[in-house]
Every structure is written in C-alpha cells, then in structure tokens.
Amino acid sequence: MLQLKKIDHLGVAVSDLNQSIATYRDKLGMEFQGVEEVPSQMVRTAFFQVGDVHVELLEPTSPESPIAKHLEKRGEGLHHIAYEVDDIRAALAEAKELGLQPLSEEPRPGAHNTLVCFLHPKMTGKVLTELVEHTAK
Ligand code: CO
C-alpha cells in the first residue's frame, strides 16, 4: 500500500484566477503565497495556506490544459486532492503495482519545487489523486 504523510493541498479549478485570488485572500482571509505558472500542466496556480494545508487554485493557460477540459466538462470546482509522500518514484511504482493507474510513467515537476504524479480518478471515487514529493525543504 501507499504511505501517505498528510494532505498537502486541495486543487480547485477556476476560470478567473485573479478574481478567485481576491475572494480567497480578501474574503476567506487565507494566507496568499503567490502565483506560479506550471508549464508541465499548462496552468497558472495560486497557493494559499490554512493551517499546514494548502489550497491551490488552478487556471488553464491553454485550451489543451487538463484544467481547461475540467472547466469545459464540469465547470469550476474541486479538481484534486494532493497527498505528500517521501519518495515519489517508490510511490509511483507501488501505485502501478496496485493497479491505481498513474496518469504518467514518470513524476513531473509541480509548483514549489515538487515532483508530482496523478492517479486515475476512476480508481479513487472520481476524485483525482495527486502524489507530491517536496524536493526542496
Ligand atoms: Co496540485
């Protein structure tokens, strides 16, 4: 089985990042930690911290982005739950072994010095699962 350390962040698909930043920062009062573009996922992300968990807002930068497809099919909303692991390569190999259908053969660079991979949502109650290893602490 996988060894998950904690929930790292929740990913929320949004169509207007700047407007959503204003809501999360100024109305929900969450600690805004900045915007980062993640070319490997074709998204712009905004990170917020609440306790020791983050919320990641995701806006597509291309119609080919998985987030653009999510917005098209399902509109805005919860996109994924990300869990921290110590060793993403070991977790990916284990996930493959367990039939959890990782969406890529290799981990990919994520926001904030991480390596990430995703598991097919049909395996996990139709919620996309992300595994995250922090490569710089
Ligand atoms: Co994420």
Side-chain angles (χ1 to χ4, degrees):
M1 73 184 99
L2 295 178
Q3 311 243 329
L4 308 177
K5 293 173 75 181
K6 60 169 213 163
I7 290 181
D8 185 82
H9 64 268
L10 305 173
V12 178
V14 302
S15 50
D16 183 335
L17 192 65
N18 290 334
Q19 189 178 32
S20 293
I21 288 171
T23 302
Y24 276 70
R25 184 190 53 206
D26 302 335
K27 297 185 179 172
L28 295 179
M30 288 172 59
E31 184 189 327
F32 176 53
Q33 298 189 313
V35 169
E36 182 175 340
E37 190 163 336
V38 184
S40 71
Q41 302 291 327
M42 294 173 274
V43 292
R44 266 198 336 138
T45 70
F47 255 70
F48 296 84
Q49 183 154 3
V50 52
D52 66 350
V53 175
H54 295 86
V55 171
E56 172 187 55
L57 304 180
L58 304 143
E59 176 193 67
T61 54
S62 152
E64 296 308 305
S65 164
I67 298 300
K69 294 187 173 135
H70 179 100
L71 290 173
E72 216 170 274
K73 277 209 272 198
R74 298 163 70 180
E76 294 188 306
L78 183 66
H79 180 258
H80 63 268
I81 302 178
Y83 301 93
E84 185 180 355
V85 297
D86 272 327
D87 181 342
I88 188 84
R89 283 171 209 285
L92 186 51
E94 179 71 5
K96 230 180 268 181
E97 186 83 5
L98 292 168
L100 289 171
Q101 301 198 16
L103 299 184
S104 60
E105 284 297 311
E106 290 289 325
R108 295 181 180 174
H112 301 101
N113 302 308
T114 58
L115 285 171
V116 306
C117 73
F118 292 90
L119 306 179
H120 198 292
K122 78 179 178 195
M123 305 309 294
T124 45
K126 298 213 174 142
V127 176
L128 182 63
T129 297
E130 179 181 6
L131 304 175
V132 181
E133 177 186 333
H134 289 271
T135 52
K137 314 258 156 142

